Amino acid sequence: MLDKARTLPADQVFLDLEDAVAPLAKEAARGNVVAALREGGWDDKIRTVRVNDLSTPWTYRDVISVVEGAGEHVDCLVLPKVRDAAQVIFVDTLLTQIEKTLGLPIGGIGLELQIETARGLVEIDAIAAASPRTETLVFGPADFMASLNMPSLAVGELNPDYPGDPFHYVLMRLLVAARSHDLQAIDGPHLQIRDVAGFAASARRSAALGYDGKWVLHPDQIEAANEVYSPTPQAYDRAELILDAYEHATSEAGGATGAVMLGDEMIDEASRKLAQVIAAKGRAAGL
Ligand code: GLV
Ligand code: MG
């Protein structure tokens, strides 16, 4: 799996020490993760490691083993089941100590925080603000459903017994917290790995809100993820057109106008901001 992951067109990899690793295998997994990071071959993928959550006995040694063993090859740690800001501050402080000891750049290792419990969602604003290392908030639908006692085993899926999207509130709440702290917002995994259409449908719901991406658990999900979170060529072209038209209209040559017509649509500064979002995603996707 590790060898294959190096070759896949995913933007990021995370090597797991948490729920994909059985308790009896936790110690050996640390060594495997360190070896995989040191071997390299990850090209320009963002390299992250998910440590165990702070209610377990494993977290501190996960952080120390991984960062002492391969700190210069780690871009971010993923902290699961974050309950409050104090947990984030603890990991931030521990990282700073290890970075100082090893002579690594202070603050160089970022944090991705999984929001996947009722408590984490209640504390989300303080969690998002807790550390300058934090880059991303990640929704964890499986643990979140368990935390809420949601009576369904179909992780992240719509439920025919509920007339709406049962995840709308949490997705929107997480997105607002992320954006208010200039963080990325990432949707969580889709466990039915053979159901690529279901994955894509779930991805489209969070992409429509403004999410930046979604975890993939299997190579088959990658193409759909890359497609869903990139704008269509039509949307991208329209966004670039709006940016050009607005730049011209507001320039001296265009009469320094704040609001102009582009076809049947009035565009103004807010249109420019919206277009900028789509254009940036399109440029990043190489459109
Ligand atoms: C991911 O960690 C999840 O719980 O969905
Ligand atoms: Mg989880």
Side-chain angles (χ1 to χ4, degrees):
M1 281 180 174
L2 289 170
D3 283 341
K4 184 149 190 194
R6 291 179 167 93
T7 68
L8 298 171
D11 295 322
Q12 169 166 338
V13 288
F14 87 76
L15 308 181
D16 198 17
L17 296 176
E18 202 221 16
D19 283 356
V21 179
L24 289 176
K26 293 282 185 196
E27 309 238 335
R30 290 182 190 130
N32 295 340
V33 162
V34 166
L37 289 164
R38 293 178 72 96
E39 271 162 32
W42 301 101
D43 297 331
D44 55 359
K45 291 180 179 51
I46 297 166
R47 300 150 303 172
T48 71
V49 178
R50 181 165 71 168
V51 298
N52 286 282
D53 84 86
L54 280 159
S55 71
T56 72
W58 298 302
T59 322
Y60 78 101
R61 209 174 279 286
D62 288 345
V63 175
I64 293 169
S65 301
V66 168
V67 180
E68 285 193 349
E72 65 271 46
H73 307 290
V74 177
D75 296 305
C76 283
L77 294 185
V78 180
L79 188 61
K81 302 183 183 70
V82 181
R83 287 177 59 83
D84 54 31
Q87 294 196 327
V88 182
I89 293 166
F90 170 78
V91 175
D92 181 318
T93 307
L94 184 56
L95 280 171
T96 302
Q97 291 223 298
I98 306 170
E99 286 166 345
K100 280 184 177 162
T101 303
L102 299 181
L104 293 172
I106 307 298
I109 296 178
L111 289 175
E112 305 202 351
L113 308 177
Q114 281 191 276
I115 302 299
E116 47 182 352
T117 61
R119 174 69 187 270
L121 192 63
V122 167
E123 295 289 330
I124 194 166
D125 289 313
I127 288 171
S131 164
R133 294 179 187 270
T134 303
E135 300 180 8
T136 305
L137 300 182
V138 185
F139 178 46
D143 275 300
F144 189 73
M145 291 167 72
S147 162
L148 254 53
N149 292 358
M150 226 185 229
S152 164
L153 297 172
V155 170
E157 306 243 339
L158 299 183
N159 183 337
D161 291 336
Y162 183 74
D165 178 350
F167 300 99
H168 176 75
Y169 168 70
V170 56
L171 286 173
M172 199 51 135
R173 183 71 187 85
L174 188 153
L175 180 63
V176 170
R179 294 295 183 244
S180 74
H181 292 91
D182 291 329
L183 304 175
Q184 295 190 94
I186 297 293
D187 192 6
H190 186 82
L191 274 58
Q192 308 292 328
I193 54 177
R194 305 271 167 247
D195 177 19
V196 176
F199 171 90
S202 161
R204 277 196 295 274
R205 288 192 291 276
S206 68
L209 297 178
Y211 271 65
D212 299 297
K214 184 171 175 71
W215 275 9
V216 293
L217 297 178
H218 189 274
D220 288 352
Q221 298 176 329
I222 296 178
E223 193 184 330
N226 284 338
E227 190 186 318
V228 170
Y229 293 94
S230 305
T232 62
Q234 293 82 349
Y236 173 67
D237 289 347
R238 177 79 187 162
E240 293 285 12
L241 200 64
I242 290 173
L243 291 178
D244 287 347
Y246 185 72
E247 191 183 324
H248 177 71
T250 50
S251 72
E252 214 164 313
T257 324
V260 284
M261 294 302 289
L262 178 64
D264 289 339
E265 188 185 353
M266 191 208 78
I267 59 167
D268 66 3
E269 170 59 16
S271 323
R272 186 196 64 77
K273 288 196 182 104
L274 280 169
Q276 183 60 41
V277 170
I278 294 172
K281 287 189 179 186
R283 289 174 203 160
L287 292 181

